[in-house]
Amino acid sequence: MRRVVRQSKFRHVFGQAVKNDQCYDDIRVSRVTWDSSFCAVNPRFVAIIIEASGGGAFLVLPLHKTGRIDKSYPTVCGHTGPVLDIDWCPHNDQVIASGSEDCTVMVWQIPENGLTLSLTEPVVILEGHSKRVGIVAWHPTARNVLLSAGCDNAIIIWNVGTGEALINLDDMHSDMIYNVSWNRNGSLICTASKDKKVRVIDPRKQEIVAEKEKAHEGARPMRAIFLADGNVFTTGFSRMSERQLALWNPKNMQEPIALHEMDTSNGVLLPFYDPDTSIIYLCGKGDSSIRYFEITDESPYVHYLNTFSSKEPQRGMGYMSKRGLDVNKCEIARFFKLHERKCEPIIMTVPRKSDLFQDDLYPDTAGPEAALEAEEWFEGKNADPILISLKHGYIPGKNRDLKVVKKNILDSKPAANKKCDLISAPKKTTDTTSVQNEAKLDEILKEIKSIKDTICNQDERISKLEQQLAKMAV
């Protein structure tokens, strides 16, 4: 029998690292012993957890700021313990959440053009875990809903807009949680735990929908992620310490749909999934390769495509969302590989001769618009992601993102305080006091404006002096 090669448009996907001048150099990547990816990317910024003395910090760099990163470059450094995980908000490219050894989750707002000063004040601090927080994950379709999981074996789901913990799943896991993944519309989560179980949980009903004991029999860490069709993909180790990958149907977890053994390396396999192309990329911590597989409905269901190999081992990996890719170059994935001292983008491309938009490679993808408000989701509503076309490339909105966060977080808190003040104030307050207050407010606003003008003038003066210095140096 002649073996027929399976037809797939992704058979020839190839990876290529960018040139040295397009890397981010001289970054002290964190050495903390934790199996998260240490890097998070969106169409505007790349964030990298770094070594920091006296607390935890991460860098946030605009994508175009390649080359050597100065040691004095500002960082996000409000945590008092090492940062363990970071995640960009899918509905606002300037908002990032971080979990830390100091048992807190912090949500930060990054200025539109990146940091000019170190950021020490988060928009909101979420306190509720009793041990370090190793996992943060935003809800895929509801605005301002954030999940965190800690070494106290608890999962907390927060409404970031109000800073409240609305769901606390603290009795479902008897051992450390390795990872948590939302499904496509955010109605379920799946978790992999040190007790070798994979659980599918309905967080709002606070019940386990399905679970599999000994999904992988080895003792080393597992990972579990939801696929777009509702199946669960896991990576782990066999009893003989071989790395495995498996595909499960949550409706029947007795036997896997597919189970493959890969190699005997000991690095944890971090899966990155593209729901538009059904490709899973596996990056082993400490490996120097990225393997990728296509998931289909035909046996053997998980089809090996290829391996991108390099010389240097990876300390962590960032994965760009579809919105940030170059559709003109048929780029279907971009990774940000962390070395010991640098971050190196790796571009995955499907070779095509035509320069036209390849609509088979780029079906409509999840856009930055939230399908639900946090309150709607907590009340029980579900919604699929709002899709956008990439035909003319993705153009990020300018200030729209900022307003959303201010409305939900920055403005809501003072508003709440104002209400409290009004309630607690005695009823005999007359109009004169409000007139006086308005006058005071005007005065303060004028003062702020004059301070801003002074700062602008000083900025101009400094830049002129810098130019003069540069000329003198030449």
Side-chain angles (χ1 to χ4, degrees), residues 375-409:
E375 292 72 21
E376 295 178 295
W377 184 78
F378 285 111
E379 283 162 11
K381 282 189 186 172
N382 291 324
D384 285 331
I386 296 173
L387 304 181
I388 56 168
S389 167
L390 295 175
K391 186 156 190 175
H392 305 293
Y394 168 69
I395 297 133
K398 199 143 176 73
N399 288 327
R400 180 177 50 83
D401 287 343
L402 257 165
K403 282 177 193 163
V404 169
V405 176
K406 281 185 175 170
K407 184 180 75 185
N408 279 306
I409 299 172

Side-chain angles (χ1 to χ4, degrees), residues 54 65 74 117 227 237 356 366 375 431:
K65 187 161 176 52
L117 296 168
L227 305 186
F237 292 79
L356 299 173
E375 292 72 21
D431 293 343

Side-chain angles (χ1 to χ4, degrees), residues 406-445:
K406 281 185 175 170
K407 184 180 75 185
N408 279 306
I409 299 172
L410 302 180
D411 288 350
S412 71
K413 287 208 162 167
N417 292 345
K418 278 176 198 164
K419 277 179 198 165
C420 298
D421 291 347
L422 288 173
I423 293 160
S424 61
K427 287 192 176 167
K428 57 186 178 187
T429 322
T430 57
D431 293 343
T432 51
T433 53
S434 65
V435 171
Q436 283 172 353
N437 287 346
E438 275 180 28
K440 272 185 189 171
L441 192 64
D442 282 345
E443 229 174 277
I444 291 164
L445 288 171

Side-chain angles (χ1 to χ4, degrees), residues 181-184 190 225-234 246-248 273-275 278-280 295 302:
S181 165
W182 292 97
N183 68 348
R184 180 105 168 126
C190 73
I225 58 168
F226 262 117
L227 305 186
D229 60 4
N231 285 341
V232 172
F233 179 90
T234 61
L247 191 60
W248 308 84
Y273 172 58
D274 178 2
S278 291
I279 294 179
I280 282 186
I295 312 284
V302 181

Side-chain angles (χ1 to χ4, degrees), residues 168-185:
N168 192 340
L169 310 172
D170 56 1
D171 55 356
M172 292 191 176
H173 296 84
S174 57
D175 214 331
M176 191 164 77
I177 301 163
Y178 286 138
N179 89 304
V180 182
S181 165
W182 292 97
N183 68 348
R184 180 105 168 126
N185 69 359

Side-chain angles (χ1 to χ4, degrees), residues 308-367:
F308 165 81
S309 295
S310 57
K311 290 175 187 162
E312 295 287 320
Q314 55 229 15
R315 296 279 299 277
M317 195 68 80
Y319 179 62
M320 175 67 82
S321 70
K322 262 302 176 36
R323 295 181 289 128
L325 303 181
D326 187 344
V327 295
N328 301 320
K329 292 181 180 166
C330 295
E331 181 185 3
I332 61 159
R334 190 186 311 162
F335 290 93
F336 287 70
K337 172 181 170 179
L338 299 187
H339 299 242
E340 231 171 276
R341 300 284 301 189
K342 75 170 178 179
C343 172
E344 174 187 44
I346 293 163
I347 289 165
M348 299 283 180
T349 313
V350 176
R352 292 275 167 102
K353 285 179 179 163
S354 167
D355 288 340
L356 299 173
F357 177 71
Q358 308 290 314
D359 48 11
D360 62 327
L361 298 183
Y362 301 106
D364 288 357
T365 191

Side-chain angles (χ1 to χ4, degrees), residues 199-344:
R199 296 170 176 84
V200 176
I201 298 167
D202 184 326
R204 288 169 297 188
K205 289 182 182 167
Q206 304 201 15
E207 62 184 37
I208 295 170
V209 179
E211 74 178 342
K212 171 65 181 169
E213 287 195 36
K214 294 196 175 173
H216 297 277
E217 294 198 353
R220 290 189 54 72
M222 297 193 297
R223 286 285 183 276
I225 58 168
F226 262 117
L227 305 186
D229 60 4
N231 285 341
V232 172
F233 179 90
T234 61
T235 65
F237 292 79
S238 71
R239 201 180 294 153
M240 306 300 291
S241 288
E242 289 176 304
R243 293 202 288 197
Q244 295 178 319
L245 52 91
L247 191 60
W248 308 84
N249 180 351
K251 294 186 175 76
N252 177 15
M253 299 277 275
Q254 293 307 106
E255 289 297 318
I257 301 169
L259 177 69
H260 296 283
E261 292 191 340
M262 286 171 52
D263 57 18
T264 52
S265 185
N266 62 0
V268 178
L269 284 169
L270 304 176
F272 296 94
Y273 172 58
D274 178 2
D276 304 334
T277 57
S278 291
I279 294 179
I280 282 186
Y281 303 86
L282 297 183
C283 309
K285 266 207 150 178
D287 288 12
S288 51
S289 61
I290 301 171
R291 293 180 180 81
Y292 35 108
F293 299 80
E294 189 178 357
I295 312 284
T296 69
D297 300 334
E298 306 159 22
S299 177
Y301 306 106
V302 181
H303 306 268
Y304 171 73
L305 289 172
N306 211 335
T307 301
F308 165 81
S309 295
S310 57
K311 290 175 187 162
E312 295 287 320
Q314 55 229 15
R315 296 279 299 277
M317 195 68 80
Y319 179 62
M320 175 67 82
S321 70
K322 262 302 176 36
R323 295 181 289 128
L325 303 181
D326 187 344
V327 295
N328 301 320
K329 292 181 180 166
C330 295
E331 181 185 3
I332 61 159
R334 190 186 311 162
F335 290 93
F336 287 70
K337 172 181 170 179
L338 299 187
H339 299 242
E340 231 171 276
R341 300 284 301 189
K342 75 170 178 179
C343 172
E344 174 187 44

